[in-house]
Amino acid sequence: MRYVLRYFGAAFVLTNVRGAVFDGETEQDVVKLIQATLECRHVSGMTVGIIKENETWTHGFGMADLKSGRPVDGDTLFNIASVTKSFTMALLAILLKENKLHWKTTVSDILGSEYGFIDDYRTRETTLRDLLSHRTGLANPDIGFMAGFPPSLSREDMCKRMRYLPEQIPFRDSYIYNNYLYMLLGHVAEKLGGDTWENLLMSRIFVPLGMKSTKILKKTSDVLASDMAHPYIYKDNSFENSTLDIYELHPAEPAGAILSSAEDMVLYLQFVLSNGKTTTGDQLVDPMLFREAFSVALPVVRGDVTVSKPTFPVSDVVGGYGYGWFESSYDGYRAVWHRGTLWAYYSIAWLVPEQNIGIFISTNGGMFKDDQYTSLTTTLYYLADLLLDKEPWLNSSTACSFPEPWKKVYKADSRPPENSPFLPDISEYTGTYGNEFQPDVVVTVNGSSQTQLNFESGR
């Protein structure tokens, strides 16, 4: 891919010169806003990929490696986290067509009696559709991802432990986001495809789409590779290296372990917008199966689902979840999207299908601050307005103040005072907690403190 090193304001930016998504003046406005956003939101690096009709635009901003001074460009890899889920869905769609199955096929029909859930009814009735749309009602103990699972525990072993996940709400009653369901879907793909999820993704999606750089996060040191945006946190007014030990998702990689670039992701977004067809004209997915994946399988009531212009005070809105994609709206346009977070990495893939528009944004630092996620959303809003031929309601100033001036932000310390009569005897909560599904959690009192608890689990 050919890049030009252009000078915008006070910085050089690596620009992909292919396509004509923006004219020169608009491009300068985009670069100015994103650079201002990274600075005021304390984000170390950002990559942006856009597709509109058949034109693409990719940009790198900030630093991929602060120590060496290596900048982000369109080929820099970021962890896309839960955007991975849509790839697992697409892979399943390919394999279902070959095996003459459908989304309503039960998990037990594919995996057999060795696999099950907390009760016989779920074990018998749960379909691929139920897993894809997060409607099993099973708990999602994400502490296992932070604590880590034993290296000797295979994906197959872990999927057989799904029977120990407790019920949180009744089956098919409502939506509960659950990473482990996509781990199980990855294993279903392995059974149908006769190979590992990783190899199947490579041969059935990455290679046919021309995604030459994309790979899977397998070990923690992968995030420090020379083609990666390294992970950072912003602490005490400076960037620090993120804790390395936590960048491993074994054995739940199908839920969030893809490493990709803006250049590769625009190819993927084009594939999705084309209803499963590659740029060379190969129809990889049955269009009927793919279309169903983008229809709402379950309503979702959450305040952060609908992507829309801000109206305050913000109230809960009804959005929906399909198969690996949310569905909502932006200023009257139908939008499908998914975001992903893995510690220092925040990403979003966003589509306006009827207008053939796709946006991918990923960042590598600013962790533990709301600012990093806000940098994604304000950049998305600004780009969406431009691509929809609307006057942007954000600028370099308000992108940094958002949600102000529309909404006043209050930050309060929610901890009770030390002498509060409502403080419990926290020693009552100490002990070892766990089940057969995940590593034990050991809870202890923090030294002489009577108000703080420590927990330890796995690594």
Side-chain angles (χ1 to χ4, degrees):
M1 191 57 58
R2 186 164 68 92
Y3 290 91
V4 172
L5 190 62
R6 294 177 175 171
Y7 189 74
F8 290 101
F12 287 98
V13 179
L14 288 170
T15 307
N16 173 7
V17 299
R18 179 188 59 203
V21 172
F22 303 123
D23 60 38
E25 183 178 352
T26 303
E27 183 181 37
Q28 291 195 40
D29 290 341
V30 169
V31 170
K32 179 182 176 182
L33 179 132
I34 295 178
Q35 286 178 334
T37 299
L38 263 62
E39 183 175 351
C40 69
R41 298 290 180 182
H42 309 299
V43 176
S44 49
M46 176 183 285
T47 194
V48 178
I50 292 171
I51 180 167
K52 182 176 183 180
E53 299 298 338
N54 294 317
E55 305 291 352
T56 63
W57 185 88
T58 61
H59 249 295
F61 300 87
M63 290 292 133
D65 183 349
L66 292 171
K67 184 177 181 181
S68 70
R70 174 169 55 90
V72 175
D73 63 31
D75 291 314
T76 304
L77 296 176
F78 287 71
N79 173 250
I80 69 171
S82 285
V83 180
T84 299
K85 291 178 172 63
S86 67
F87 283 81
T88 297
M89 178 276 290
L91 175 61
L92 273 171
I94 294 170
L95 297 171
L96 289 179
K97 177 183 177 182
E98 294 176 358
N99 287 272
K100 295 181 174 57
L101 299 173
H102 46 79
W103 297 123
K104 293 182 180 179
T105 300
T106 63
V107 177
S108 60
D109 281 346
I110 298 172
L111 296 183
S113 60
E114 291 182 276
Y115 300 79
F117 300 101
I118 190 71
D119 55 74
D120 291 340
Y121 182 69
R122 276 187 177 85
T123 298
R124 185 176 65 253
E125 298 294 331
T126 297
T127 65
L128 299 179
R129 173 183 167 92
D130 294 321
L131 300 182
L132 287 158
S133 57
H134 299 288
R135 60 180 193 173
T136 64
L138 297 174
N140 180 37
D142 271 348
I143 187 62
F145 288 132
M146 182 184 292
F149 293 97
S152 59
L153 189 68
S154 69
R155 188 172 298 142
E156 181 177 2
D157 294 336
M158 194 69 184
C159 288
K160 290 178 180 177
R161 292 189 180 191
M162 291 287 288
R163 66 178 68 249
Y164 298 115
L165 270 186
E167 177 186 80
Q168 188 166 333
I169 60 173
F171 184 47
R172 293 178 181 160
D173 188 56
S174 186
Y175 159 97
I176 295 182
Y177 192 84
N178 194 318
N179 285 297
Y180 297 106
L181 302 183
Y182 275 76
M183 173 188 70
L184 183 58
L185 286 163
H187 188 51
V188 169
E190 292 174 330
K191 291 292 187 180
L192 293 176
D195 204 344
T196 65
W197 172 82
E198 291 83 353
N199 289 343
L200 289 167
L201 267 189
M202 180 65 68
S203 63
R204 312 307 292 275
I205 295 183
F206 298 165
V207 171
L209 268 59
M211 301 176 70
K212 297 179 181 179
S213 301
T214 302
K215 55 189 178 182
I216 307 299
L217 172 65
K218 295 301 294 181
K219 55 184 185 297
T220 56
S221 59
D222 289 346
V223 297
L224 298 183
S226 60
D227 54 357
M228 277 290 299
H230 297 179
Y232 298 99
I233 62 171
Y234 189 77
K235 181 181 178 183
D236 298 329
N237 298 318
S238 64
F239 288 104
E240 298 180 6
N241 294 325
S242 176
T243 302
L244 188 61
D245 294 348
I246 55 180
Y247 291 94
E248 183 180 313
L249 283 174
H250 169 80
E253 289 89 350
I258 289 179
L259 308 176
S260 194
S261 66
E263 285 291 333
D264 278 4
M265 284 300 293
V266 293
L267 294 171
Y268 176 66
L269 296 184
Q270 189 171 25
F271 165 75
V272 175
L273 289 168
S274 300
N275 205 22
K277 183 181 291 185
T278 69
T279 55
T280 58
D282 295 327
Q283 187 70 51
L284 300 186
V285 181
D286 181 343
M288 292 291 290
L289 284 173
F290 220 40
R291 275 195 290 272
E292 183 179 338
F294 294 92
S295 60
V296 172
L298 198 64
V300 179
V301 181
R302 275 171 47 178
D304 61 348
V305 167
T306 292
V307 183
S308 60
K309 291 184 179 181
T311 55
F312 299 105
V314 175
S315 59
D316 280 347
V317 293
V318 176
Y321 199 88
Y323 306 164
W325 292 95
F326 286 99
E327 181 168 352
S328 58
S329 63
Y330 179 77
D331 201 20
Y333 291 90
R334 173 176 170 259
V336 294
W337 58 278
H338 211 290
R339 70 167 180 253
T341 304
L342 183 67
W343 314 125
Y345 295 102
Y346 284 28
S347 301
I348 191 165
W350 190 84
L351 304 168
V352 187
E354 282 70 30
Q355 280 63 44
N356 205 24
I357 290 170
I359 302 172
F360 169 74
I361 309 170
S362 192
T363 56
N364 65 324
M367 184 183 174
F368 302 133
K369 297 280 188 178
D370 290 340
D371 283 349
Q372 187 177 356
Y373 178 64
T374 304
S375 75
L376 286 180
T377 54
T378 54
T379 299
L380 174 66
Y381 295 148
Y382 186 79
L383 294 173
D385 284 343
L386 292 175
L387 296 170
L388 292 167
D389 299 319
K390 294 177 176 293
E391 183 68 26
W393 52 271
L394 284 165
N395 55 42
S396 296
S397 175
T398 53
C400 287
S401 66
F402 180 84
E404 295 180 341
W406 297 276
K407 179 184 178 182
K408 185 67 177 176
V409 178
Y410 295 97
K411 295 183 179 179
D413 189 343
S414 60
R415 292 174 298 177
E418 292 283 342
N419 60 352
S420 169
F422 302 106
L423 281 175
D425 178 2
I426 62 172
S427 64
E428 294 179 3
Y429 299 99
T430 61
T432 300
Y433 299 83
N435 63 8
E436 295 88 343
F437 185 75
Q438 65 174 16
D440 285 347
V441 177
V442 180
V443 180
T444 57
V445 175
N446 182 10
S448 60
S449 170
Q450 296 303 306
T451 62
Q452 295 180 5
L453 292 167
N454 287 345
F455 74 87
E456 295 183 16
S457 184
R459 57 180 170 236

